Amino acid sequence: KQEVTQIPAALSVPEGENLVLNCSFTDSAIYNLQWFRQDPGKGLTSLLLIQSSQREQTSGRLNASLDKSSGRSTLYIAASQPGDSATYLCAVGGGGYQKVTFGIGTKLQVIP
Amino acid sequence: DTGVSQNPRHKITKRGQNVTFRCDPISEHNRLYWYRQTLGQGPEFLTYFQNEAQLEKSRLLSDRFSAERPKGSFSTLEIQRTEQGDSAMYLCASSSRTAIYGELFFGEGSRLTVL
């Protein structure tokens, strides 16, 4: 059974700081890995999708990396802004119908 | 393309009542998923449809839960005889068979409060 762990559970940083969120998973036979953002009481917004054959993806100030062999992914956020405050969820896809397993998220607060 | 749409956004009901949630996926997406999320937790898989066929159900989906996708378009999730433990956010997601790597797109969710 796939298990996904996200560290830290919560993070508070001053505006402008670069930061790294971590995700680890127990079964390296994955199909893809997706990072999501969730604002309080809202649904999930897709940020980045990394295919199992890729090592990283970039979108604006976000960069996600994937090391399948070690079961790890990181989400790097450059020059953080107060608007980045949200919960960030890592989701690992695997299985014939792409069953997705989520971590519990990292709650990020960026202080102006 | 209006994205994944879920209704109602919030439902408050008394214990023992039945509730139904609806999900309209992105129009060309043939894969549809239901997830449940409780406070402080990540979403947990409930069930998966490919077109109109329900291909997988989680053990979390007790006999009181039923999901349908009759014409391979919208889907409904019904909870019968609701219990306080059913209070959660119910999330719907869809993905496209032509998107090789299966990117999931989520709706805003339907929050259920059972009194």
Side-chain angles (χ1 to χ4, degrees):
Chain A
K1 177 187 174 186
Q2 180 73 271
E3 294 183 2
V4 180
T5 304
Q6 291 189 245
I7 294 173
L11 183 63
S12 182
V13 301
E15 181 177 2
E17 192 164 298
N18 301 329
L19 57 102
V20 174
L21 307 181
N22 296 291
C23 171
S24 62
F25 47 94
T26 54
D27 185 351
S28 62
I30 68 170
Y31 191 72
N32 59 28
L33 187 144
Q34 199 165 351
W35 282 93
F36 292 90
R37 168 188 172 134
Q38 186 173 34
D39 294 293
K42 302 290 187 180
L44 280 66
T45 300
S46 178
L47 297 174
L48 289 165
L49 173 75
I50 310 177
Q51 306 159 14
S52 61
S53 59
Q54 296 178 320
R55 294 194 63 86
E56 67 176 339
Q57 281 286 345
T58 298
S59 175
R61 294 182 295 109
L62 305 179
N63 175 274
S65 68
L66 173 63
D67 185 343
K68 255 182 42 172
S69 61
S70 67
R72 296 179 185 276
S73 176
T74 61
L75 178 67
Y76 174 83
I77 302 177
S80 58
Q81 303 171 357
D84 295 331
S85 298
T87 296
Y88 291 80
L89 293 152
C90 168
V92 177
Y97 56 89
Q98 208 236 319
K99 181 177 179 180
V100 175
T101 305
F102 284 82
I104 65 171
T106 294
K107 186 173 183 179
L108 173 65
Q109 181 182 27
V110 181
I111 303 167
Chain B
D1 177 8
T2 57
V4 178
S5 176
Q6 292 189 245
N7 289 287
R9 293 291 313 281
H10 195 180
K11 178 73 175 179
I12 301 172
T13 190
K14 293 182 179 179
R15 188 177 54 187
Q17 298 296 305
N18 299 342
V19 296
T20 299
F21 300 115
R22 175 176 169 131
C23 172
D24 288 272
I26 293 172
S27 58
E28 67 268 24
H29 286 186
N30 69 324
R31 298 173 178 170
L32 187 146
Y33 306 78
W34 284 99
Y35 285 81
R36 181 171 70 185
Q37 185 179 28
T38 53
L39 197 62
Q41 300 298 311
E44 295 175 296
F45 171 79
L46 292 179
T47 190
Y48 161 72
F49 289 86
Q50 184 164 304
N51 300 313
E52 67 277 6
Q54 187 175 23
L55 298 185
E56 182 75 14
K57 292 197 300 184
S58 164
R59 290 172 297 174
L60 293 174
L61 217 62
S62 75
D63 291 344
R64 296 183 297 104
F65 288 70
S66 63
E68 295 182 341
R69 194 182 182 198
K71 297 183 179 179
S73 56
F74 72 92
S75 175
T76 58
L77 176 67
E78 181 183 17
I79 309 173
Q80 297 181 324
R81 304 181 303 282
T82 52
E83 302 173 356
Q84 288 185 326
D86 297 331
S87 296
M89 175 79 89
Y90 291 86
L91 294 161
C92 177
S94 68
S95 70
S96 169
R97 64 180 176 182
T98 60
I100 297 173
Y101 299 98
E103 184 174 9
L104 289 181
F105 295 86
F106 279 83
E108 288 293 320
S110 293
R111 179 168 295 283
L112 174 64
T113 302
V114 181
L115 302 176

